[in-house]
Amino acid sequence: MSVTVALNRDHRPRSWKLRLQTRLAICLARTLALFKPYVLRRLLTRLSKGAAPADAAVTTAARDSVLASSLGLHGLRACLPRSLAVAVLCRLRGTWPTWCVGVRTAPPFAAHAWVEAGQEMIGETGGYDSYSRLFTVPPTTPLPPPAQDRTQDRTQNGAQNGTQNGAQTRAPDRRHDQGPDRRHDQGPDRAADQDRDQG
């Protein structure tokens, strides 16, 4: 039984450098797909070291470039080389997405490989919880928080720093009693002895 799938080819112009990197990523991905899973995971972990986390826009652009360069990677059974090609292309451009292998959590059960940025699955149908992840190769450093969260963190850090600075500036005020009136706090006997010495 055959399945008819309509393919949309991306005709947007791409630079020669991006075309060359995409072709190289596809060739490497087809080679990597031949390795056993534990070897593949080890290779991808080494490959991801030193790369910045790829956001959704960068990963989507890499996926579009891979699909525009190879019609064979549009197929339903081409998820492994497709996801590897996207990850390798991102790495050639200095970033790394989270590469995932898992199975669907609802029927029909099937193995699948994909890439994601943060908790967003790139170019896949279904939600984040529609697949159960068997293993992943995430970037070495996590994605920075969104701009709104960073603003809240700065506000909280500023408030904490202000509290600490206020405590530091108030601390010397408790130690200013070094003048001549301090003898009144030392008890009546000591004060009388000091009066005798001065007389």
Side-chain angles (χ1 to χ4, degrees):
M1 180 176 152
S2 60
V3 178
T4 303
V5 179
L7 302 178
N8 294 323
R9 187 140 193 188
D10 188 1
H11 294 286
R12 289 178 292 183
R14 293 176 296 136
S15 66
W16 66 269
K17 185 177 180 181
L18 178 59
R19 288 173 182 266
L20 185 61
Q21 288 176 336
T22 305
R23 292 287 183 186
L24 179 59
I26 292 172
C27 291
L28 288 174
R30 292 189 186 279
T31 304
L32 288 171
L34 301 175
F35 288 98
K36 293 182 179 180
Y38 69 93
V39 177
L40 178 59
R41 184 180 184 181
R42 189 181 306 165
L43 290 173
L44 292 180
T45 301
R46 289 185 181 181
L47 190 63
S48 67
K49 288 183 178 178
D55 59 8
V58 171
T59 310
T60 302
R63 187 177 188 276
D64 292 343
S65 182
V66 166
L67 293 179
S69 297
S70 174
L71 286 176
L73 294 181
H74 284 263
L76 298 175
R77 297 180 182 272
C79 61
L80 180 59
R82 179 175 61 239
S83 63
L84 289 170
V86 173
V88 171
L89 180 57
C90 286
R91 184 63 186 94
L92 290 175
R93 300 180 72 82
T95 60
W96 184 262
T98 301
W99 183 77
C100 306
V101 171
V103 293
R104 288 180 184 170
T105 56
F109 299 104
H112 190 48
W114 68 96
V115 291
E116 55 187 44
Q119 289 192 345
E120 180 179 352
M121 299 174 66
I122 305 300
E124 303 294 337
T125 58
Y128 183 78
D129 297 328
S130 58
Y131 288 93
S132 176
R133 287 148 186 79
L134 299 179
F135 63 86
T136 63
V137 181
T140 53
T141 55
L143 274 172
Q148 198 172 32
D149 295 342
R150 279 182 288 187
T151 306
Q152 291 175 355
D153 290 343
R154 284 188 200 134
T155 307
Q156 291 175 354
N157 290 339
Q160 290 176 355
N161 290 339
T163 305
Q164 292 175 355
N165 291 339
Q168 290 174 357
T169 54
R170 285 193 298 270
D173 294 342
R174 290 193 290 260
R175 293 185 243 134
H176 73 282
D177 50 352
Q178 300 292 335
D181 293 337
R182 188 176 176 181
R183 63 192 184 90
H184 297 294
D185 298 333
Q186 297 173 350
D189 296 336
R190 188 74 181 264
D193 292 341
Q194 288 181 359
D195 289 338
R196 254 187 265 116
D197 292 341
Q198 289 177 1

